[in-house]
Amino acid sequence: MNESKKKNELEAVLDRIDLSQPEPAEEPMRQYYFMKKARELVEKQQKELGRPLTFCVVTFGCQMNARDSEKLTGVLEEIGYQEIQEETADFVIYNTCTVRENANQRVYGRLGYLHSLKKKNPHMMIALCGCMMQEPHVVEKLKKSYSFVNLIFGTHNIYKFSELIVTALLSGRMVIDIWKDTDKIVEDLPSERKYSFKSGVNIMFGCNNFCSYCIVPYVRGRERSRNPKDIVREIEKLVADGVKEVMLLGQNVNSYGKNLEEPITFAQLLLEIEKIEGLERIRFMTSHPKDLSDELIAVMKNSKKICRHLHLPLQSGSSRILKIMNRHYDKEKYLTLVEKIRAAVPDISLTTDIIVGFPGETEEDFLETMDVVEKVRFDSAFTFIYSKRTGTPAAVMQDQIPEAVIKDRFDRLLAKVQEIGREMSSRDTGTIQEVLVEEQNEHDPHLLTGRMSNNLLVHFPGDPSLIGQMISVHLDECRGFYYMGTPTKA
Ligand code: SAH
Ligand code: SF4
Ligand code: F3S
């Protein structure tokens, strides 16, 4: 099904809705009703102003948030706003992240700027959603000091966006709707994909792991898996619509399916997705080492579509710290797991997340982390300075580490992961790799950028008509973390 056909189907549904009737109770029909109602309100305002209304979605945080933003965009387009990239738009929404304090501060900083824009454009609607809004102290602060915000909602009721827009447009006050948790998953709402040829697909929501430093379980709620049939149906539609690569999304995809009425494993889900004709590549994130099964390794080994890349967050190399982090694996178990994966899939690229400066981390603990980095030889690693999150067990732990000590360890770790990453990244020089062509190079329009199975990028000369296609490229030269290449003739 192509994009226009999908739109027509939704149009047909909206056409049949009678706004003089009360709103339906069941979803997603209720949201379709409010979409139509919002469209009326937007049209009216456009007439009054004599110009089209615009919107801008700003996304902070992880891929889960990026996917949610596509849903926000889908709704805003459906009700008649036009997308622009500037925050001078008539409807600006921030989809926030709170995993580390600096993500949080950025939002407050930018809100001040939005306020100045709103003074010039009194019709402007400002909305905030996402993980940060699930924290009561944030909402309190917004109520007190940021009363110009029109709409605040959280992660659990994002499917109600259409309804909330109507409420906000009709009421002159700040509308706040935050749910503590939910067991609900609403399917079949519109979304607008950023890329035509690849797409994120949620397979589960929430997290049950409660790593002691992490706020995600508190702001994303308990783990809920989508029905495998709904996932396969969504991917089939995406493929019919031109998508070649999907990224399956969840905080811990390895525990997928455990809470379904008919439990299935993540590996079994992958086998089902592999069967979808026309789909060329499957990626997923994130894998928690504690639940990564032999079954999954076997499926990856035998798969033609699953990409040769695994993101396997380490967090720390010290077994003592890992225990306090509540990660449920130790240094040895992690190293054994990596050996098993490399034995089954030798060309796999391994990437990771590491936290420096967790409370009580000693120089010895830190050297254990450096040791794992040297032993595993990650292709790349995201390194984070520990950030204290109110409400998590680690926030009240004794022995928070002084900034200067953390900074010194962080610099040493970063230098090490970069040095190893450069060496690892260059190992395919001289080979021919299949790439999915993603875009024209920003700096040089004669170049295209393609993504390899192992997630590295290669730049090569080519015509933009190739964007969205799988082609073979010879890797001529590695420049740090990317390649320069030449397409091979088919
Ligand atoms: N569910 C994923 C991680 C999601 S958060 C997993 O378990 O792997 C992404 C990364 O942010 C984490 O892997 C961790 O390295 C980092 N992170 C989470 N909480 C943090 C904190 N309080 N301070 C610093 N980094 C943090
Ligand atoms: Fe956070 Fe741990 Fe859940 Fe990942 S698995 S989201 S780090 S609590
Ligand atoms: Fe941030 Fe929420 Fe993702 S806290 S990392 S946006 S799940």
Side-chain angles (χ1 to χ4, degrees):
M1 190 166 25
N2 60 34
E3 198 80 0
S4 63
K5 189 160 168 211
K6 209 168 68 190
K7 284 241 159 79
N8 288 341
E9 273 184 16
L10 182 58
E11 277 317 308
V13 175
L14 294 189
D15 265 350
R16 287 196 296 272
I17 291 172
D18 180 358
L19 288 181
S20 64
Q21 297 293 313
E23 64 268 17
E26 75 280 9
E27 299 295 359
M29 275 316 281
R30 185 179 171 89
Q31 295 315 310
Y32 295 155
Y33 177 96
F34 282 108
M35 241 172 254
K36 183 157 174 171
K37 185 140 190 144
R39 194 186 274 180
E40 266 192 6
L41 297 171
V42 170
E43 256 171 35
K44 191 164 154 255
Q45 210 178 59
Q46 287 188 157
K47 275 210 189 99
E48 282 167 13
L49 292 172
R51 60 174 176 86
L53 292 180
T54 54
F55 77 92
C56 172
V57 178
V58 181
T59 311
F60 301 83
C62 66
Q63 306 237 13
M64 230 81 60
N65 257 19
R67 180 70 186 133
D68 282 348
S69 287
E70 294 185 340
K71 296 174 187 167
L72 301 171
T73 301
V75 168
L76 287 164
E77 289 199 336
E78 204 51 52
I79 65 179
Y81 285 99
Q82 290 177 12
E83 182 165 27
I84 60 169
Q85 301 307 324
E86 293 81 39
E87 286 155 86
T88 48
D90 299 290
F91 194 114
V92 175
I93 179 159
Y94 284 177
N95 189 7
T96 62
C97 169
T98 187
V99 77
R100 286 170 290 274
E101 183 62 25
N102 54 4
N104 219 292
Q105 287 310 329
R106 289 224 311 275
V107 169
Y108 289 124
R110 282 170 81 154
L111 274 176
Y113 168 60
L114 283 194
H115 194 194
S116 68
L117 292 173
K118 188 164 180 161
K119 284 180 189 150
K120 286 182 220 143
N121 178 11
H123 298 278
M124 183 175 181
M125 297 285 288
I126 299 176
L128 298 171
C129 67
C131 295
M132 211 177 135
M133 301 306 125
Q134 292 294 137
E135 294 182 276
H137 69 90
V138 169
V139 177
E140 278 316 307
K141 180 163 171 171
L142 291 168
K143 274 205 278 201
K144 223 163 112 198
S145 314
Y146 297 83
S147 56
F148 57 90
V149 174
N150 299 88
L151 171 61
I152 297 174
F153 58 101
T155 55
H156 302 304
N157 53 349
I158 184 169
Y159 76 87
K160 271 183 73 183
F161 188 36
S162 304
E163 183 169 351
L164 292 168
I165 292 175
V166 170
T167 315
L169 285 172
L170 291 177
S171 100
R173 292 175 295 116
M174 183 190 261
V175 173
I176 303 177
D177 190 7
I178 312 278
W179 300 1
K180 267 196 140 62
D181 203 350
T182 184
D183 52 9
K184 204 165 171 158
I185 297 178
V186 177
E187 299 283 346
D188 291 327
L189 290 168
S191 80
E192 192 61 40
R193 289 199 319 278
K194 200 166 165 206
Y195 299 96
S196 61
F197 48 85
K198 67 171 186 178
S199 179
V201 173
N202 297 111
I203 63 168
M204 57 202 299
F205 303 93
C207 180
N208 285 355
N209 291 309
F210 290 96
C211 302
S212 61
Y213 50 83
C214 182
I215 201 162
V216 170
Y218 304 89
V219 296
R220 285 274 171 176
R222 294 296 63 72
E223 204 169 277
R224 304 169 307 280
S225 295
R226 279 177 77 196
N227 208 308
K229 285 205 185 70
D230 289 329
I231 297 170
V232 169
R233 194 174 52 130
E234 177 178 346
I235 299 176
E236 282 171 349
K237 275 194 191 163
L238 288 169
V239 169
D241 199 18
V243 164
K244 300 213 163 75
E245 177 179 307
V246 290
M247 167 78 92
L248 309 177
L249 298 172
Q251 289 300 352
N252 175 10
V253 292
N254 296 330
S255 68
Y256 170 79
K258 286 185 182 158
N259 57 1
L260 285 170
E261 254 171 51
E262 293 172 42
I264 91 164
T265 63
F266 178 54
Q268 288 165 335
L269 176 73
L270 283 171
L271 288 175
E272 289 306 308
I273 296 174
E274 174 107 19
K275 287 185 206 149
I276 298 172
E277 224 168 287
L279 179 66
E280 307 227 20
R281 279 179 167 182
I282 305 168
R283 300 183 186 277
F284 51 83
M285 81 186 311
T286 302
S287 275
H288 193 306
K290 83 179 162 77
D291 298 314
L292 200 147
S293 65
D294 291 347
E295 186 196 14
L296 176 64
I297 297 176
V299 167
M300 288 185 78
K301 178 185 165 85
N302 297 322
S303 169
K304 300 246 168 345
K305 298 186 179 175
I306 299 173
C307 288
R308 287 354 207 178
H309 173 219
L310 188 66
H311 187 65
L312 196 62
L314 167 68
Q315 313 301 4
S316 167
S318 153
S319 296
R320 191 183 76 83
I321 294 288
L322 284 168
K323 194 161 172 70
I324 310 172
M325 284 179 162
N326 195 29
R327 289 289 287 180
H328 295 279
Y329 55 86
D330 58 16
K331 180 183 179 186
E332 283 63 43
K333 190 169 164 203
Y334 189 93
L335 289 173
T336 311
L337 186 58
V338 166
E339 262 174 42
K340 263 203 278 190
I341 296 163
R342 284 236 168 92
V345 192
D347 56 345
I348 197 143
S349 151
L350 287 175
T351 58
T352 200
D353 293 344
I354 299 170
I355 298 174
V356 180
F358 182 82
E361 182 188 75
T362 61
E363 177 65 18
E364 267 165 27
D365 292 319
F366 174 70
L367 290 176
E368 295 278 11
T369 300
M370 292 288 267
D371 186 44
V372 175
V373 166
E374 274 164 15
K375 287 202 164 96
V376 174
R377 300 184 58 76
F378 295 105
D379 288 78
S380 74
F382 294 103
T383 49
F384 302 111
I385 286 178
Y386 167 73
S387 171
K388 191 169 166 178
R389 306 316 289 130
T390 310
T392 63
V396 290
M397 284 178 191
Q398 300 294 310
D399 203 7
Q400 305 276 330
I401 310 294
E403 223 170 274
V405 175
I406 299 188
K407 182 77 177 60
D408 170 64
R409 288 180 192 161
F410 183 84
D411 291 346
R412 281 146 69 202
L413 177 66
L414 190 63
K416 178 63 69 191
V417 299
Q418 287 192 340
E419 175 198 322
I420 295 175
R422 269 197 204 96
E423 288 166 22
M424 291 300 284
S425 299
S426 67
R427 71 192 138 139
D428 290 327
T429 309
T431 64
I432 293 173
Q433 300 285 333
E434 285 277 289
V435 310
L436 177 58
V437 186
E438 294 200 338
E439 59 197 5
Q440 212 169 359
N441 191 292
E442 263 177 42
H443 310 290
D444 181 350
H446 302 293
L447 292 179
L448 298 176
T449 301
R451 192 176 296 272
M452 302 187 245
S453 176
N454 69 7
N455 211 32
L456 285 188
L457 298 178
V458 51
H459 306 293
F460 54 91
D463 189 83
S465 62
L466 290 171
I467 291 172
Q469 296 192 34
M470 298 282 298
I471 66 164
S472 298
V473 175
H474 180 268
L475 305 182
D476 303 331
E477 185 198 344
C478 184
R479 295 197 186 155
F481 295 94
Y482 65 90
Y483 282 94
M484 299 307 294
T486 317
T488 59
K489 293 276 169 289

